[in-house]
Amino acid sequence: MATYNKFNQAVEDWLHGVYAADTDQFTVALCAAANAPVATNTVLANLTEISYTNLSSRNLTTSTSAQSSGTYTQLFADLTLSASGGAAAAFRYVVIYNNTPASPLDPLLCWYDYGSDLTLADGESLLIDFTTSTFTVT
Amino acid sequence: MSIKELKDKRDVLWNELHALKAEYDPKEKAIRDQIRDINNTLYPLEMSPIVAKLEHKVSEGKASDAEKQKLDMVKAHIKSLQAP
């Protein structure tokens, strides 16, 4: 199971109005084992991404963005990444960033560490299962 | 600048900000409302194969507690999206 990690700047971005979490475009970025994100990264430009040749869409669908009893939960629909036309580049880290804001550009939300590089051969898929919540604020 | 001058300048800027948002916010809201509607339509469609897979596992007695919880949550959310 992948390990969830938060980017420190994300909580400030939320409260400073950078996010409109229910309708912003959230996108997955992928990084290889040699290019690990760190909690102090703030925007996509801080990361080294893999090449996305042969890889399916990385856009996420927001399903839940609401509070209940004072706890806010954001949840995305599970995303299936598929390789087609050839293998996809190896990646270990699945990063989620907000593709909508222009300033800051592409702020980072969180990342998942799969522990080692994953490879998708032509025709193979990876299901990114967000279980029951991606991000909560209490 | 004195305290009063600074506050006066801030008031002017706030008024400019309010005017900008008065012009921009309704347009943004109209677009976001459409995006939200699309997301609410997309979610059941995108999760359909996952629901089917989880229901199959439950029927075979092979689903973990976490998978059962996820299935319940997803089905409840889809039901809420379809409520009038």
Side-chain angles (χ1 to χ4, degrees), chain A residues 20 22-24 60-64 75-78 80 100 127 129-133, chain B residues 28 32-33 35-36 38-40 42-43 46-47 50 53 66 69-70 73-74 77 81:
Chain A
D22 60 336
T23 49
D24 278 352
L60 296 167
T61 296
T62 299
S63 70
T64 303
L75 177 62
F76 301 113
D78 295 351
T80 299
T100 294
L127 175 66
D129 181 345
F130 292 108
T131 57
T132 54
S133 76
Chain B
E28 182 184 4
R32 289 187 182 279
D33 284 347
I35 293 170
R36 192 176 300 109
I38 290 173
N39 279 343
N40 288 343
L42 263 177
Y43 180 77
E46 287 185 311
M47 294 301 286
I50 293 162
K53 185 178 171 184
Q69 183 189 8
K70 181 172 173 111
M73 182 215 70
V74 170
H77 187 56
L81 292 176

Side-chain angles (χ1 to χ4, degrees), chain A residues 11-138:
Chain A
V11 291
E12 182 176 312
D13 286 345
W14 276 78
L15 291 170
H16 282 193
V18 172
Y19 284 70
D22 60 336
T23 49
D24 278 352
Q25 178 189 4
F26 288 90
T27 305
V28 163
L30 304 173
C31 300
N35 298 302
V38 293
T40 51
N41 292 143
T42 58
V43 293
L44 186 64
N46 297 155
L47 306 180
T48 300
E49 301 172 76
I50 65 168
S51 164
Y52 297 118
T53 303
N54 300 324
L55 205 54
S56 58
S57 171
R58 295 172 285 114
N59 287 325
L60 296 167
T61 296
T62 299
S63 70
T64 303
S65 178
Q67 65 84 26
S68 176
S69 302
T71 296
Y72 166 84
T73 298
Q74 181 184 33
L75 177 62
F76 301 113
D78 295 351
L79 177 70
T80 299
L81 288 176
S82 301
S84 175
F91 59 92
R92 168 174 170 172
Y93 305 101
V94 173
V95 176
I96 299 176
Y97 70 96
N98 191 335
N99 208 348
T100 294
S103 180
L105 182 63
D106 302 332
L108 301 172
L109 176 64
C110 63
W111 82 94
Y112 295 88
D113 180 354
Y114 279 79
S116 61
D117 269 337
L118 304 175
T119 53
L120 293 178
D122 189 5
E124 289 185 340
S125 298
L126 169 71
L127 175 66
I128 301 176
D129 181 345
F130 292 108
T131 57
T132 54
S133 76
T134 309
F135 194 83
T136 60
V137 177
T138 57

